[in-house]
Amino acid sequence: MQALTAWRRIACVFLPFAAGYYLSYVFRTINALIGGQLSSDIGLETADLGLLTSVYFLVFAAVQIPIGISLDRFGPRRIQSVLLLVAAAGAALFAVATGFLSLLIARAMLGLGVAAALMAGLKSIVLWFPKERVALLNGYMIMLGSLGAVTATAPAEYLLRWMNWRQLFEILAFATGATAILIYVVVPERIMGRSTIRNTLSSVLGDPRFWRIAPLSAACIGSAWSLQGLWASPWLTDVERFDHPRLVGQLFTMSIVLCGGAWSFGTLVHCIRQRRAGVEIIVAAIAGLFIAAQLSLILRLPLPSILPWSVIAIAGTATVVSFAAIAEYFPPELTGRANGALNVLHFGWAFVSQCGTGLILQQWPVVDGHRTVFAYQAAFGLNLVVQIAAFVWFALPWLGSFGRRMGSNPLRLPASVSDAVETFMPCEQLLVVMPANTDSEW
């Protein structure tokens, strides 16, 4: 009976919300594939394409706190189904848009419509599944959602051989509307208690531990979304000089790596929590690898291109680790608000990074159909400086404790003590004969 209940929960709760998150990932990353067609069909400049793609993140970030309150009050079933209908309307408008403004409005509607996709899925897991399985299921949720990034590469490219991007968005609009109906009809209702959001949210935002990890998580994860969602494709085309089939192949590989990273992080956090160990060290390790990968691109180190870009793709799934770290700081009734506040920073920085990169690239001219390597180095390098500053801020308590331990090291004696010959005693004279005592504890 327990096994039957578990499978019913997976079929009626987990999978419908995973489908919604899958669609959100398709919409997030599809512009990396169709960006060239949008630019040629609509006449978009580089900065226009950056703003068009990044407005998704701006709207997404702006509504995270209100959505968190609504999820607590009305439940994930109602909120997710209503918002996905908004996303379906946005996809339909995108399919028929003929100018930059209508595309921008449609993209903003998509950002609003899928803004609850991840948080609703995580909330449903907390409501319907055992606490000890939450971290593992969070990883599975993000892994299945990441398949949307896979779909937005080679499979979508195959479909575009038979149709144009407008027809593709018509299909996505239908699939999104169907998913909204599925969630509303299939997912069972769960009675929600009233939220004390004013007190609890202030408790999250007033906690210094949140502001220690949040800048690093936002700078790295938001940048990873920005790069994979749009700027990986121009880099590979302009700097690496990939042709279109090779470009699609590398984007497909990055998406597969993305899915594997989500599953690996979820499993790793699950194992670490079972051993009652902290996950902050994983956050630091991921950030260090992510920074090193971007540095190798900027310095043009002689590495296969897929290696640093795979690390960048994996970093985009580190939300599993960040949410797990946040969960260690706050009680269960606060983790939803804390995750929502952290998500605001994730998507806020993704917008700043994606839009800012387009503005910086626009300052350099196009030579023979390609932008110069220095333009990308300048744009990516400025983003990297922010990540390094956030990493130093995150590591300051560790560096301080390490310095204090080194300062109190007993081996570092003053010269007057170590050179004092008159205090030297042979080891034989230091021996003390202890009286026999059978009750002594050694």
Side-chain angles (χ1 to χ4, degrees):
M1 186 66 181
Q2 291 179 351
L4 179 62
T5 303
W7 280 110
R8 288 184 62 182
R9 289 179 179 180
I10 290 174
C12 296
V13 178
F14 180 81
L15 291 180
F17 283 105
Y21 187 49
Y22 163 86
L23 289 170
S24 77
Y25 240 112
V26 173
F27 290 127
R28 183 190 304 178
T29 56
I30 191 64
N31 277 15
L33 181 67
I34 67 172
Q37 298 180 40
L38 286 175
S39 298
S40 59
D41 292 350
I42 310 297
L44 301 180
E45 299 289 341
T46 303
D48 295 335
L49 183 60
L51 177 60
L52 175 64
T53 306
S54 63
V55 74
Y56 171 100
F57 294 117
L58 178 63
V59 176
F60 207 113
V63 298
Q64 283 300 293
I65 296 299
I67 282 178
I69 299 173
S70 301
L71 288 173
D72 287 334
R73 184 167 185 177
F74 301 107
R77 167 180 167 267
R78 300 180 188 178
I79 299 302
Q80 178 72 321
S81 58
V82 170
L83 287 180
L84 283 180
L85 290 178
V86 176
L93 177 60
F94 202 95
V96 299
T98 57
F100 175 71
L101 181 59
S102 54
L103 284 174
L104 194 67
I105 295 173
R107 183 74 176 169
M109 291 177 64
L110 287 173
L112 173 62
V114 299
L118 176 59
M119 302 308 297
L122 300 183
K123 183 74 176 181
S124 68
I125 291 173
V126 171
L127 290 176
W128 290 99
F129 292 91
K131 181 179 179 180
E132 61 273 11
R133 296 290 180 182
V134 167
L136 187 62
L137 288 171
N138 286 351
Y140 289 155
M141 173 73 69
I142 295 178
M143 179 193 71
L144 292 176
S146 301
L147 291 175
V150 178
T151 305
T153 56
E157 172 69 13
Y158 179 78
L159 290 176
L160 289 174
R161 297 176 185 175
W162 304 95
M163 63 185 69
N164 57 37
W165 60 270
R166 296 184 184 278
Q167 294 170 318
L168 176 62
F169 268 84
E170 291 174 358
I171 295 175
L172 290 174
F174 175 80
T176 306
T179 304
I181 296 173
L182 176 69
I183 290 175
Y184 189 81
V185 172
V186 173
V187 176
E189 190 63 71
R190 189 101 181 194
I191 299 176
M192 308 295 298
R194 284 193 172 272
S195 170
T196 57
I197 186 65
R198 291 186 178 180
N199 296 330
T200 57
L201 184 58
S202 63
S203 300
V204 171
L205 298 180
D207 195 313
R209 296 172 300 176
F210 175 84
W211 290 112
R212 185 170 72 90
I213 193 174
L216 180 64
S217 181
C220 292
I221 294 174
S223 297
W225 292 346
S226 168
L227 292 172
Q228 183 167 13
L230 180 61
W231 297 119
S233 179
W235 169 280
L236 294 173
T237 302
D238 294 340
V239 178
E240 305 290 345
R241 300 300 174 96
F242 281 16
D243 56 16
H244 190 70
R246 191 179 177 190
L247 169 65
V248 174
Q250 177 135 327
L251 292 177
F252 178 77
T253 303
M254 289 170 59
S255 301
I256 295 294
V257 171
L258 180 75
C259 296
W263 176 82
S264 301
F265 287 151
T267 304
L268 182 61
V269 170
H270 178 69
C271 295
I272 287 179
R273 277 189 162 179
Q274 283 187 328
R275 301 189 180 197
R276 301 183 181 276
V279 298
E280 280 191 347
I281 188 65
I282 306 178
V283 175
I286 295 170
L289 289 173
F290 181 62
I291 291 172
Q294 295 171 90
L295 194 59
S296 70
L297 290 175
I298 294 171
L299 297 179
R300 306 291 291 131
L301 297 181
L303 296 173
S305 176
I306 190 60
L307 291 181
W309 281 110
S310 293
V311 174
I312 291 172
I314 290 175
T317 64
T319 48
V320 179
V321 184
S322 298
F323 290 152
I326 287 293
E328 293 181 350
Y329 299 157
F330 303 103
E333 58 271 17
L334 286 181
T335 54
R337 283 80 163 183
N339 288 344
L342 184 60
N343 239 9
V344 170
L345 300 178
H346 285 159
F347 285 93
W349 181 252
F351 165 76
V352 172
S353 174
Q354 200 166 73
C355 185
T357 299
L359 291 174
I360 295 173
L361 291 176
Q362 185 98 3
Q363 307 309 310
W364 276 267
V366 176
V367 180
D368 296 331
H370 300 280
R371 295 201 181 272
T372 64
V373 176
F374 185 77
Y376 286 96
Q377 289 173 329
F380 288 12
L382 184 60
N383 199 8
L384 185 62
V385 169
V386 176
Q387 297 165 35
I388 294 174
F391 187 88
V392 172
W393 173 257
F394 176 78
L396 276 179
W398 292 344
L399 296 175
S401 61
F402 178 76
R404 287 191 295 271
R405 285 197 300 269
M406 291 298 295
S408 60
N409 192 335
L411 295 179
R412 298 178 60 184
L413 298 176
S416 59
V417 176
S418 60
D419 295 340
V421 179
E422 63 272 12
T423 60
F424 171 79
M425 293 179 64
C427 61
E428 291 83 2
Q429 297 182 24
L430 295 175
L431 296 176
V432 179
V433 179
M434 298 291 293
N437 187 351
T438 55
D439 296 330
S440 298
E441 293 183 2
W442 297 93

mmCIF file of all heavy atoms in Angstrom, residues 236-258:
data_model
loop_
_atom_site.group_PDB
_atom_site.id
_atom_site.type_symbol
_atom_site.label_atom_id
_atom_site.label_comp_id
_atom_site.label_asym_id
_atom_site.label_seq_id
_atom_site.Cartn_x
_atom_site.Cartn_y
_atom_site.Cartn_z
ATOM 1 N N LEU A 236 30.733 30.601 -29.574
ATOM 2 C CA LEU A 236 31.184 29.472 -30.382
ATOM 3 C C LEU A 236 31.210 29.821 -31.874
ATOM 4 O O LEU A 236 32.041 29.300 -32.623
ATOM 5 C CB LEU A 236 30.278 28.267 -30.137
ATOM 6 C CG LEU A 236 30.325 27.676 -28.722
ATOM 7 C CD1 LEU A 236 29.257 26.606 -28.550
ATOM 8 C CD2 LEU A 236 31.692 27.105 -28.413
ATOM 9 N N THR A 237 30.321 30.704 -32.296
ATOM 10 C CA THR A 237 30.288 31.099 -33.699
ATOM 11 C C THR A 237 31.371 32.117 -34.042
ATOM 12 O O THR A 237 32.083 31.975 -35.036
ATOM 13 C CB THR A 237 28.908 31.676 -34.051
ATOM 14 O OG1 THR A 237 27.901 30.703 -33.766
ATOM 15 C CG2 THR A 237 28.835 32.044 -35.520
ATOM 16 N N ASP A 238 31.510 33.140 -33.189
ATOM 17 C CA ASP A 238 32.432 34.238 -33.495
ATOM 18 C C ASP A 238 33.870 33.939 -33.100
ATOM 19 O O ASP A 238 34.804 34.308 -33.817
ATOM 20 C CB ASP A 238 31.974 35.518 -32.794
ATOM 21 C CG ASP A 238 30.656 36.037 -33.338
ATOM 22 O OD1 ASP A 238 30.292 35.650 -34.460
ATOM 23 O OD2 ASP A 238 29.988 36.825 -32.635
ATOM 24 N N VAL A 239 34.050 33.295 -31.944
ATOM 25 C CA VAL A 239 35.403 33.067 -31.424
ATOM 26 C C VAL A 239 35.943 31.715 -31.870
ATOM 27 O O VAL A 239 37.057 31.604 -32.398
ATOM 28 C CB VAL A 239 35.417 33.183 -29.888
ATOM 29 C CG1 VAL A 239 36.821 32.896 -29.335
ATOM 30 C CG2 VAL A 239 34.956 34.568 -29.452
ATOM 31 N N GLU A 240 35.155 30.654 -31.668
ATOM 32 C CA GLU A 240 35.596 29.319 -32.041
ATOM 33 C C GLU A 240 35.372 29.021 -33.526
ATOM 34 O O GLU A 240 35.886 28.011 -34.037
ATOM 35 C CB GLU A 240 34.866 28.267 -31.195
ATOM 36 C CG GLU A 240 34.990 28.462 -29.688
ATOM 37 C CD GLU A 240 36.374 28.194 -29.163
ATOM 38 O OE1 GLU A 240 37.182 27.591 -29.907
ATOM 39 O OE2 GLU A 240 36.663 28.577 -28.012
ATOM 40 N N ARG A 241 34.567 29.852 -34.181
ATOM 41 C CA ARG A 241 34.262 29.703 -35.612
ATOM 42 C C ARG A 241 33.609 28.349 -35.932
ATOM 43 O O ARG A 241 33.942 27.698 -36.923
ATOM 44 C CB ARG A 241 35.522 29.900 -36.459
ATOM 45 C CG ARG A 241 36.162 31.273 -36.282
ATOM 46 C CD ARG A 241 35.186 32.381 -36.673
ATOM 47 N NE ARG A 241 35.698 33.717 -36.384
ATOM 48 C CZ ARG A 241 36.312 34.480 -37.288
ATOM 49 N NH1 ARG A 241 36.496 34.033 -38.521
ATOM 50 N NH2 ARG A 241 36.720 35.686 -36.952
ATOM 51 N N PHE A 242 32.656 27.943 -35.082
ATOM 52 C CA PHE A 242 31.899 26.719 -35.337
ATOM 53 C C PHE A 242 30.900 26.967 -36.463
ATOM 54 O O PHE A 242 30.296 28.041 -36.542
ATOM 55 C CB PHE A 242 31.140 26.290 -34.085
ATOM 56 C CG PHE A 242 31.979 25.579 -33.056
ATOM 57 C CD1 PHE A 242 33.362 25.626 -33.084
ATOM 58 C CD2 PHE A 242 31.374 24.856 -32.037
ATOM 59 C CE1 PHE A 242 34.132 24.979 -32.136
ATOM 60 C CE2 PHE A 242 32.138 24.191 -31.090
ATOM 61 C CZ PHE A 242 33.511 24.252 -31.139
ATOM 62 N N ASP A 243 30.711 25.963 -37.314
ATOM 63 C CA ASP A 243 29.600 26.037 -38.252
ATOM 64 C C ASP A 243 28.321 25.614 -37.529
ATOM 65 O O ASP A 243 28.356 25.194 -36.369
ATOM 66 C CB ASP A 243 29.863 25.174 -39.478
ATOM 67 C CG ASP A 243 30.143 23.712 -39.126
ATOM 68 O OD1 ASP A 243 29.838 23.303 -37.991
ATOM 69 O OD2 ASP A 243 30.673 22.987 -39.985
ATOM 70 N N HIS A 244 27.187 25.730 -38.214
ATOM 71 C CA HIS A 244 25.909 25.518 -37.520
ATOM 72 C C HIS A 244 25.734 24.084 -36.997
ATOM 73 O O HIS A 244 25.323 23.906 -35.846
ATOM 74 C CB HIS A 244 24.744 25.888 -38.442
ATOM 75 C CG HIS A 244 23.428 25.933 -37.739
ATOM 76 N ND1 HIS A 244 23.088 26.914 -36.821
ATOM 77 C CD2 HIS A 244 22.347 25.102 -37.802
ATOM 78 C CE1 HIS A 244 21.871 26.694 -36.359
ATOM 79 N NE2 HIS A 244 21.410 25.598 -36.947
ATOM 80 N N PRO A 245 26.018 23.046 -37.775
ATOM 81 C CA PRO A 245 25.868 21.685 -37.229
ATOM 82 C C PRO A 245 26.754 21.434 -36.010
ATOM 83 O O PRO A 245 26.309 20.808 -35.031
ATOM 84 C CB PRO A 245 26.264 20.787 -38.408
ATOM 85 C CG PRO A 245 26.021 21.612 -39.623
ATOM 86 C CD PRO A 245 26.369 23.013 -39.214
ATOM 87 N N ARG A 246 27.986 21.918 -36.050
ATOM 88 C CA ARG A 246 28.873 21.725 -34.906
ATOM 89 C C ARG A 246 28.391 22.530 -33.698
ATOM 90 O O ARG A 246 28.510 22.075 -32.553
ATOM 91 C CB ARG A 246 30.287 22.123 -35.285
ATOM 92 C CG ARG A 246 31.337 21.707 -34.253
ATOM 93 C CD ARG A 246 32.735 22.098 -34.702
ATOM 94 N NE ARG A 246 33.718 21.772 -33.687
ATOM 95 C CZ ARG A 246 34.977 22.171 -33.719
ATOM 96 N NH1 ARG A 246 35.408 22.926 -34.734
ATOM 97 N NH2 ARG A 246 35.822 21.843 -32.761
ATOM 98 N N LEU A 247 27.845 23.709 -33.938
ATOM 99 C CA LEU A 247 27.298 24.523 -32.864
ATOM 100 C C LEU A 247 26.147 23.807 -32.177
ATOM 101 O O LEU A 247 26.101 23.710 -30.942
ATOM 102 C CB LEU A 247 26.821 25.865 -33.428
ATOM 103 C CG LEU A 247 25.991 26.740 -32.490
ATOM 104 C CD1 LEU A 247 26.815 27.202 -31.308
ATOM 105 C CD2 LEU A 247 25.415 27.933 -33.251
ATOM 106 N N VAL A 248 25.213 23.287 -32.952
ATOM 107 C CA VAL A 248 24.067 22.578 -32.369
ATOM 108 C C VAL A 248 24.537 21.348 -31.601
ATOM 109 O O VAL A 248 24.018 21.035 -30.524
ATOM 110 C CB VAL A 248 23.067 22.194 -33.474
ATOM 111 C CG1 VAL A 248 21.950 21.333 -32.913
ATOM 112 C CG2 VAL A 248 22.494 23.452 -34.123
ATOM 113 N N GLY A 249 25.547 20.654 -32.136
ATOM 114 C CA GLY A 249 26.074 19.483 -31.446
ATOM 115 C C GLY A 249 26.661 19.828 -30.083
ATOM 116 O O GLY A 249 26.440 19.105 -29.103
ATOM 117 N N GLN A 250 27.403 20.948 -30.009
ATOM 118 C CA GLN A 250 27.983 21.318 -28.714
ATOM 119 C C GLN A 250 26.914 21.792 -27.739
ATOM 120 O O GLN A 250 26.980 21.477 -26.545
ATOM 121 C CB GLN A 250 29.047 22.408 -28.892
ATOM 122 C CG GLN A 250 29.641 22.892 -27.577
ATOM 123 C CD GLN A 250 31.143 23.020 -27.635
ATOM 124 O OE1 GLN A 250 31.831 22.249 -28.321
ATOM 125 N NE2 GLN A 250 31.670 23.991 -26.915
ATOM 126 N N LEU A 251 25.931 22.533 -28.214
ATOM 127 C CA LEU A 251 24.838 22.946 -27.330
ATOM 128 C C LEU A 251 24.073 21.730 -26.811
ATOM 129 O O LEU A 251 23.648 21.702 -25.644
ATOM 130 C CB LEU A 251 23.884 23.883 -28.078
ATOM 131 C CG LEU A 251 24.437 25.260 -28.460
ATOM 132 C CD1 LEU A 251 23.403 26.039 -29.270
ATOM 133 C CD2 LEU A 251 24.843 26.050 -27.222
ATOM 134 N N PHE A 252 23.908 20.725 -27.663
ATOM 135 C CA PHE A 252 23.241 19.493 -27.239
ATOM 136 C C PHE A 252 24.059 18.787 -26.155
ATOM 137 O O PHE A 252 23.506 18.332 -25.139
ATOM 138 C CB PHE A 252 23.047 18.579 -28.447
ATOM 139 C CG PHE A 252 22.405 17.256 -28.113
ATOM 140 C CD1 PHE A 252 21.051 17.169 -27.880
ATOM 141 C CD2 PHE A 252 23.169 16.092 -28.046
ATOM 142 C CE1 PHE A 252 20.455 15.949 -27.575
ATOM 143 C CE2 PHE A 252 22.589 14.878 -27.743
ATOM 144 C CZ PHE A 252 21.225 14.802 -27.509
ATOM 145 N N THR A 253 25.374 18.704 -26.344
ATOM 146 C CA THR A 253 26.240 18.069 -25.348
ATOM 147 C C THR A 253 26.185 18.817 -24.026
ATOM 148 O O THR A 253 26.130 18.201 -22.949
ATOM 149 C CB THR A 253 27.690 18.014 -25.859
ATOM 150 O OG1 THR A 253 27.721 17.312 -27.115
ATOM 151 C CG2 THR A 253 28.594 17.313 -24.866
ATOM 152 N N MET A 254 26.210 20.141 -24.082
ATOM 153 C CA MET A 254 26.116 20.934 -22.860
ATOM 154 C C MET A 254 24.810 20.668 -22.124
ATOM 155 O O MET A 254 24.775 20.620 -20.894
ATOM 156 C CB MET A 254 26.238 22.420 -23.202
ATOM 157 C CG MET A 254 27.627 22.858 -23.636
ATOM 158 S SD MET A 254 27.637 24.547 -24.298
ATOM 159 C CE MET A 254 27.012 25.474 -22.881
ATOM 160 N N SER A 255 23.733 20.489 -22.867
ATOM 161 C CA SER A 255 22.440 20.222 -22.237
ATOM 162 C C SER A 255 22.414 18.849 -21.583
ATOM 163 O O SER A 255 21.826 18.687 -20.499
ATOM 164 C CB SER A 255 21.327 20.330 -23.280
ATOM 165 O OG SER A 255 21.314 21.604 -23.871
ATOM 166 N N ILE A 256 23.031 17.863 -22.209
ATOM 167 C CA ILE A 256 23.120 16.538 -21.590
ATOM 168 C C ILE A 256 23.930 16.614 -20.290
ATOM 169 O O ILE A 256 23.554 16.035 -19.254
ATOM 170 C CB ILE A 256 23.772 15.528 -22.563
ATOM 171 C CG1 ILE A 256 22.874 15.310 -23.787
ATOM 172 C CG2 ILE A 256 24.059 14.211 -21.863
ATOM 173 C CD1 ILE A 256 21.563 14.642 -23.487
ATOM 174 N N VAL A 257 25.038 17.337 -20.337
ATOM 175 C CA VAL A 257 25.848 17.522 -19.139
ATOM 176 C C VAL A 257 25.052 18.235 -18.059
ATOM 177 O O VAL A 257 25.174 17.933 -16.864
ATOM 178 C CB VAL A 257 27.136 18.305 -19.486
ATOM 179 C CG1 VAL A 257 27.897 18.702 -18.228
ATOM 180 C CG2 VAL A 257 28.025 17.465 -20.393
ATOM 181 N N LEU A 258 24.226 19.187 -18.462
ATOM 182 C CA LEU A 258 23.375 19.912 -17.521
ATOM 183 C C LEU A 258 22.463 18.955 -16.759
ATOM 184 O O LEU A 258 22.336 19.034 -15.527
ATOM 185 C CB LEU A 258 22.541 20.940 -18.295
ATOM 186 C CG LEU A 258 21.586 21.817 -17.510
ATOM 187 C CD1 LEU A 258 22.340 22.890 -16.750
ATOM 188 C CD2 LEU A 258 20.579 22.473 -18.459
#
